[in-house]
Amino acid sequence: MTEEKKIKENVVYIGNKPVINYVQAVVTEFGYNGSDGVIIKARGRAISTAVDTAEVTINRFIKDAEVKDIKIGTESLTNREGKISNVSSIEILLKRKEKN
Amino acid sequence: MTEEKKIKENVVYIGNKPVINYVQAVVTEFGYNGSDGVIIKARGRAISTAVDTAEVTINRFIKDAEVKDIKIGTESLTNREGKISNVSSIEILLKRKEKN
């Protein structure tokens, strides 16, 4: 039995820790064998940190990586009182540049 | 004399006011004749507000608009003491969907 679709893009979720913590996570994911890319995901205020993480990773650590795709969206969250609130989200896909 | 390249994409810069202020600015830009699109620009902490602005504009106000392109980058700023600091930036291009 062969697995047709292997998940090769690892996801790093951004919270409210310092940027360098997430950069370290992204760099680690890139280090794994067979890792085609890393997706950085964030919601709300953490979106700025997600962009910082992508930029620091590319400019300082994985210089042969590039931003391949960025998606933004809106997610509906329900809090404990049942109130629905909308929050913006971002997904940044980093990949190694293709060698020519 | 004809102007070959008319600037048809207006820019809205995001600061630290409430999201709705910037949504109003974007909606106003879309209202102008000949406006092909609006670019939302932000730096640092305002990046989250930029994404909120794009999402609220599309979901609530200009429903035939879509996110056409998103770019992220790093800008070097020099403060009064001459110290250079890097700050992340985002540019979100909103356009009206093409009619089929």
Side-chain angles (χ1 to χ4, degrees), chain A residues 45 48 52 55 59 73-74 88, chain B residues 45 48 52 55 59 73-74 88:
Chain A
R45 289 289 114 196
S48 312
D52 288 342
E55 285 295 312
N59 295 335
T74 302
S88 299
Chain B
R45 290 288 113 196
S48 312
D52 288 342
E55 284 295 310
N59 295 335
T74 303
S88 298

Side-chain angles (χ1 to χ4, degrees), chain B residues 12-69:
Chain B
V12 172
Y13 292 91
I14 307 297
N16 49 20
K17 291 180 190 163
V19 175
I20 196 67
N21 293 38
Y22 302 110
V23 172
Q24 196 175 14
V26 173
V27 171
T28 306
E29 293 293 340
F30 263 114
Y32 286 135
N33 270 341
S35 172
D36 280 347
V38 179
I39 300 170
I40 300 167
K41 288 192 185 190
R43 288 198 292 220
R45 290 288 113 196
I47 288 174
S48 312
T49 312
V51 175
D52 288 342
T53 302
E55 284 295 310
V56 173
T57 302
I58 289 174
N59 295 335
R60 306 247 193 104
F61 292 92
I62 318 272
K63 299 201 177 181
D64 63 340
E66 63 185 348
V67 176
K68 204 74 186 172
D69 192 31

Side-chain angles (χ1 to χ4, degrees), chain A residues 19 44-56 59-60 67 70-74 86-90 92, chain B residues 19 44-56 59-60 67 70-74 86-90 92 94:
Chain A
V19 175
R45 289 289 114 196
I47 288 174
S48 312
T49 313
V51 175
D52 288 342
T53 303
E55 285 295 312
V56 173
N59 295 335
R60 306 247 194 104
V67 175
I70 305 175
K71 286 188 192 121
I72 61 172
T74 302
N86 291 322
V87 64
S88 299
S89 63
I90 198 166
I92 304 170
Chain B
V19 175
R45 290 288 113 196
I47 288 174
S48 312
T49 312
V51 175
D52 288 342
T53 302
E55 284 295 310
V56 173
N59 295 335
R60 306 247 193 104
V67 176
I70 305 174
K71 286 189 192 117
I72 61 173
T74 303
N86 291 322
V87 63
S88 298
S89 62
I90 197 166
I92 304 171
L94 300 186

